[in-house]
Every structure is written in C-alpha cells, then in structure tokens.
Amino acid sequence: MKKVITYGTFDLLHWGHVNLLRRAKEMGDYLIVAISSDEFNKLKDKKSYHSFENRKMILEAIRYVDEVIAEENWDQKVHDVVDHNVDVFVMGSDWEGKFDFLKDHCEVVYLPRTVGISTSKIKDDLLEVDNG
Ligand code: C2G
C-alpha cells in the first residue's frame, strides 16, 4: 500500500485545498493529513476560524483523506514519515524546496497551488462585503 502524507492548517476548507487533497491521494492508496494544531498555528502566525477539532472532523469527511493526525511542530515530519511508513510527501508549490530534507526518507512532491482561492482571500472578500 502506497502511503502519502501532507500537512496544513486547512481552515475554511475550500476548492484549492480539495484540489491538493485529490492530487495527493492520486499519488498513492492511502492519504494521511497532518493538520496544524491551534498552538502550532500560533507558531505559523496563523489564527484559524475553526478549531483544530472541527478542522480535523471536516477533513475526515473528505473522500480523499484516510487518516488525520496532528501537526504540532516543524520537526515532526521525519518521525511521521518513518513511523507511518510514508512513501510520498506532498505539499503545494508555495513550499517548493522547503522540505527537500525529507528526500532521504521518501519521495517529495510539490504540486502547483490552485490559483484564485485561499483562506485569507475568503476572509478579505467577506470583510469587503460587510463594509459594503
Ligand atoms: N493550497 C493549494 N492551493 C491553494 C491554497 C492552498 O494548493 N489555493 C495548498 C497549500 O500549498 C498546502 C495545503 O493546500 O499544501 C494546505 O494549505 P494551508 O492550510 O494554507 O497550509 P499551510 O499554512 O501552508 O501549512 O508544515 C507545513 C504547514 O503546516 C503548511
């Protein structure tokens, strides 16, 4: 069984996230998503609208996702890849090159980001609507 892993906050889940999850799943048979904890989001200087528990529950409902684990720090990726026998690590291209150290343990693939959508765009657009 070919196992794939990807990491992210996945707040306000949108079609760009789903495109990523679908393509990541297509690279194997089993997709693990490591979703950022609320504490780790603070380290990423991100504040998510949905709590970790709710972001996890939403991801678990996505047909491409087989397992959701917590991402709590920057240093867990090698352990996760080894402990879960992961074959492929996948991230969007905004992370191009940042995780090449994982190449000693698995395939590393950066997929083109989906243009035109992001969690921050959703928040900004909604603010504009509110302000008329
Ligand atoms: N993504 C995408 N297209 C978009 C928006 C996001 O392909 N329009 C991808 C990102 O490249 C990332 C994944 O969807 O691979 C999740 O995006 P975020 O929730 O923004 O994740 P991020 O904050 O980049 O966290 O250790 C890695 C970090 O946890 C990644």
Side-chain angles (χ1 to χ4, degrees), residues 6-11 14 16-17 20 23 36 40 44 46 71 74 77 91-95 99 112-114 117-118:
T6 191
Y7 291 74
T9 299
F10 294 99
D11 191 29
H14 54 67
H17 291 137
L20 189 283
R23 287 175 294 163
S36 311
F40 182 56
K44 290 198 291 184
K46 271 192 162 184
E71 177 185 33
W74 289 112
K77 292 185 174 70
M91 283 304 289
S93 51
D94 47 316
W95 292 92
F99 302 114
R113 262 179 85 89
T114 301
I117 185 70
S118 68

Side-chain angles (χ1 to χ4, degrees), residues 67-82:
E67 182 179 358
V68 180
I69 63 173
E71 177 185 33
E72 289 163 308
N73 57 68
W74 289 112
D75 314 314
Q76 69 184 74
K77 292 185 174 70
V78 172
H79 301 292
D80 292 342
V81 166
V82 171

